[in-house]
Every structure is written in C-alpha cells, then in structure tokens.
Amino acid sequence: MSPVGPAPTPRDAGGPGPGPVSGIQAGAGHDPYADPATRALPTPGPVLQENGSETPTQRLEVARARARSREFSEQRTEFLPAVGLRGPGENPPPPPREATAADDDGGGASRNGGIGDGLALSLSSAFGSVAGLLGWVIAARIMDQAEVGRASEFVAAMQLIGGAAQLNLGIGLMRWLPGSGRKAVRLVFGALLLIMPLSGLLGLAYAVIWPGIAVTAGGGSFGLGLGLFVLACAGWGVFVVHDFVMVAVGRPWVAVWRNGTFAVIRLALLLLLGASFAAQGMVLSWVIPVVLWVAAGTVVLWYMTRRFAAAGGPGVLPERAAMMAFLAPTALAQVGNAALYNQVPLLANLRLGNEIGAVFFICWQAVTVVDLAATFFTNSLAVQIAREPHRSEELARATRRRMLIIFVPMLVAGAALGYPVLSLLGAGYAEGSLALAALMAGLLFRLLVVFELARRQADGDGMGYAKLNLINTGLVVGFAAVVPLPDPETTSVSMMMMPMVLGYVGAQVACALALRFVPAWKRRSTSEVKS
C-alpha cells in the first residue's frame, strides 16, 4: 500500500551544503530550509537565524567563499617571489615567521620605506667627502705646495686601487644578503677575503711601477713606504664595503657613527702630524685610521652578521653564473666611476697648470661631495628591493622623489654660496665661482643619471648599468682631455675652466635626454610577480 502524505525529498536535492546546519533543524521528510508550517521554500536572499544573524541561502557558494578566504589569509603575499628583478637563482626565499621581529630589531627599514638606509649611506659618504675637502684645505695651510702634491699622489692612488678592487661587491652584497639567511656569514666574509688580497696585490704592483709613492709614504724609505701603501690599499678596498654590509643587515646608523669618528680622527692626526712630517704626515693620517677602523669593523661585522644569519632561515645564494653576470659589467663600470672622480681633476691640473688646476680641484671636490652623497643614497634602493621585491616600482618612485627633495636645494645653495665660500680660501679661488655654479647646474641632470644607475643595479641589469655609466664617464673624461682651451694670458680663471665645465654639463644633459627620449637607452621593464 502506498504511504499517505507528501513524497520524501531525495537526500541530495535541496540539502544543506558544507558547513554546520543552524537555525531550525531539518526533519527527515522535508526540505530543511522549507517553512515548517507551509513547507514553502524561502525567497532568494538572506533570512534571519534564531540568533538574529543572516544566513545566505546559497550555502555552497558561501562555503566555497570561506574556503578561498581561509586559503588567501594563510598566504604571506608580501613575500611572493619576484621573477625578472634579478638574475636566475637570485630571488630570496620567503622569510621565516620570526622575520618580523628581526626587521623590527633592525631599525624598521621596511616600515620607513628604506629612507633610513639611504640617509645613512648619504651621511657616511658626506662625512668622508667633506673631511677629505677639509683635509686638503688644512694641508694647503700647513704644508708647501710641493708636499701637498706628493701627498695627493698617495691618496689618489690608494682610493683608485681600493675602489677598483671592490668589484662592485658592495652593491652585490646589499642585493643578496636579505635572502641569504644562515649563509650570510659565508657570503660576507668570502667577499671581504677576495677584496683585501686583490687590493693589496694591486697596491704592491702600483708602488713597484711608481716607487715615488712608496718613498713619500716612508719618508724616504722605500721598504717602509711600500708596506704602508699595501696596508692602506688593502684596508681601503673593504672600508666602504663595510658600510654596505651594515645597511644590508639592518644596522645603517652604525655606519654613520663609524664614518663620522673616522673623519674626526683623520683630521686630528693631520693637524698633529702634518706640520712636522709634511707629506708623510698626510699619509699617516690616512693609513693609521684606515687600518684601525677596518680591524675593529671586521670584528663588529662578524658579530652583526652572525646575529643576522641566526635570525634567518636556510636562505639561498645566487648561482655563481648569476653573480658573475651582474658583477662583471658593473665592476668595469666602477672603474669608470673612479676615473670620473679622480681623472678629471688630474687632466685639469695637467692642461690648466697648477694654479688654475687647484681652483678647478676645489670646485670639483664640491661637486664630488654631492655626487657621492646622491649615489650612496640611491644605492640603498638595492637592499630595499631585495627585501620587498613586489614593491619595486613604489620604492623606486619614493627614492627618486626623496633624492630630488634632498639634493636639489643643496645644488641651489652650492651655486648661490659659491663665491662667498671660495673667497674664504683666497681671491684666486673666488674667481672659480662662475664655474662652480655651472657645475652645480650640470649636477642637476647628473642626479637623473645617478638614479637610473641605482635602479639598474637594484634590478640586476648589470649590462645596462655598465653601458650608461661608461658612456657618461667616457664623454666627460674624453671631452676634458681634448677640448680646446683659451689663451691663459688673455682669459680669466673661470673662462679658462669653462670649456671643461661645459663638457661635463653637456655630457649630463645629453645622457638625461637620451634616457628620456631614446628607446635604446630606456631601462628594461621587469616582471615583478611570477605569473
């Protein structure tokens, strides 16, 4: 006999979806969402449970949405790997859960967008550059001009060799350390142990070829001077690299204090030794603090790097092929940087004579102070992008904006204050104020080039960085070497320097315009997130 009453609803027809059933419990013979009195299904839209909350009628859709929400909430999207920002094998691994605490302990670089890193590097560079300029002013007051010239040969050779022997490993370490984890110690000290012997060997060869440098350093003793020169070159090769490592491990302001105390001690030693030992006093005022600060800094770096490594995960290092693809062209370009900062004033001295060359040297040192400070400020972009590759465009825009806000007023002030400041050094130096103002105008366009160089380094575009840097340097140095000069008998000091100055300005304007309008010069676009 057939049962009386409505046919039972099939088990899966209209049944509840995933998730707990709330509200009025479903009976055995009716749809659990039907009205118990009329057995009518509710109209589409949310209805209220007994507790007053809304329950969507499409339970399956809600369950799927909840599952997706849980899945997304468990992902750490801020550490999604970036592909294309670096070479193969260079992307850092997702940091461990405790990395947040490590970041906080490291000075909050991720919270302030990396401006602390840039300011720290800029101040470190500014301390060194300003102290160097003051050192030459002091030397000119307490030594004969010939002694100053001999001392400048030692310092220029030491900085040239130490800068070239760095092989751009400082920027490489800033890019690779954030993802190195427990391999950070091996990465850092492997780089330092490569730079120091290389720089020392180059210094040894240089002093053998030009023995006058060693004789000056040793006060007439070639053997003593050779040892001092080799020590100075080996130490200077890693001195600046220490700053980059401190920034990469989250201790940027230690680098500032280190450079500030180094500058003060170096100037004090120059005042103490310069009058008695002349050129050798200038040499000792460099060698003694370089050796002491590098020795102490190596111990501090050992402690910092071990702490940084202990707080990280297993970490990954770039493949050697990826390292070489970045370092080979950028190391060559770094040699070009050394030539830009040191070769141009040497050419001016050779072509313009010692008196006018001295005026050009002082003006060029003022430009170098701002140029190096801006370069170090923008170089911090490498470590910022290494920490947060998915924010590369945002970080780059912020760095460029901050660079212009900080350094454009400095250029305006430098051009306006050139005459009164140069007048303090003597009437002959004051005649270079017009040339200084023109150099500051060229440096405005140079800032755009400096930013592009930093961005290409941060993206791992070693060839693009090298091409732009070497072309820019080649234009400036080549023009300074061959540009016709007016007759010094009928021309003022500023007009004598102006052809070289306009060559620098023209090179910066041409490169800035080429970066903006020439497609072949534009930076390669990079994919930020893996598709």
Side-chain angles (χ1 to χ4, degrees), residues 119-180:
L119 285 177
L121 285 175
S122 294
L123 289 174
S124 299
S125 170
F127 280 136
S129 300
V130 172
L133 182 59
L134 290 176
W136 292 115
V137 172
I138 293 172
R141 295 284 185 179
I142 64 178
M143 300 180 195
D144 293 336
Q145 185 172 345
E147 292 293 317
V148 174
R150 283 193 287 269
S152 67
E153 290 178 355
F154 178 94
V155 175
M158 178 193 72
Q159 292 180 338
L160 177 63
I161 293 170
Q166 290 172 17
L167 304 176
N168 207 37
L169 279 167
I171 302 300
L173 289 173
M174 286 207 301
R175 296 183 61 238
W176 301 324
L177 266 175
S180 62

Side-chain angles (χ1 to χ4, degrees), residues 30-63:
H30 61 84
D31 191 300
Y33 297 102
D35 184 72
T38 63
R39 298 186 181 275
L41 293 174
T43 58
V47 295
L48 293 179
Q49 296 186 20
E50 291 178 342
N51 58 8
S53 63
E54 292 185 355
T55 303
T57 59
Q58 303 294 330
R59 300 296 300 277
L60 186 58
E61 294 294 328
V62 172

Side-chain angles (χ1 to χ4, degrees), residues 228-440:
L228 290 175
F229 186 66
V230 170
L231 277 176
C233 290
W236 190 253
V238 298
F239 187 90
V240 177
V241 178
H242 282 192
D243 295 340
F244 291 129
V245 175
M246 290 175 181
V247 169
V249 300
R251 292 291 183 270
W253 295 103
V254 176
V256 176
W257 284 104
R258 172 175 170 269
N259 281 272
T261 54
F262 175 82
V264 171
I265 296 300
R266 184 161 64 81
L267 292 176
L269 285 174
L270 176 61
L271 289 170
L272 181 65
L273 302 173
S276 301
F277 295 92
Q280 190 185 23
M282 170 67 85
V283 169
L284 293 175
S285 73
W286 275 93
V287 176
I288 293 173
V290 164
V291 173
L292 293 178
W293 259 246
V294 167
T298 301
V299 175
V300 173
L301 274 190
W302 175 262
Y303 171 75
M304 288 181 178
T305 310
R306 284 178 63 85
R307 284 196 61 188
F308 177 82
V316 292
L317 292 179
E319 299 173 359
R320 291 188 179 181
M323 286 184 172
M324 292 304 300
F326 173 75
L327 291 176
T330 57
L332 180 62
Q334 191 171 31
V335 176
N337 267 343
L340 177 64
Y341 298 137
N342 299 290
Q343 190 65 30
V344 172
L346 177 59
L347 288 172
N349 192 66
L350 292 175
R351 300 194 65 197
L352 298 173
N354 291 332
E355 293 185 2
I356 301 178
V359 179
F360 185 91
F361 178 80
I362 295 298
C363 295
W364 189 258
Q365 287 299 302
V367 172
T368 301
V369 169
V370 181
D371 192 309
L372 284 174
T375 298
F376 274 65
F377 181 85
T378 54
N379 279 346
S380 67
L381 184 62
V383 73
Q384 297 172 37
I385 290 180
R387 289 171 180 158
E388 300 179 285
H390 64 288
R391 298 179 58 208
S392 61
E393 292 295 336
E394 174 190 349
L395 293 171
R397 288 193 297 269
T399 299
R400 180 174 56 190
R401 182 177 65 253
R402 291 164 179 165
M403 176 193 71
L404 295 175
I405 291 173
I406 293 172
F407 291 101
V408 170
M410 293 175 62
L411 300 181
V412 175
L417 299 175
Y419 181 80
V421 172
L422 291 175
S423 298
L424 298 176
L425 302 178
Y429 289 99
E431 295 185 46
S433 58
L434 181 60
L436 178 60
L439 285 172
M440 290 295 172

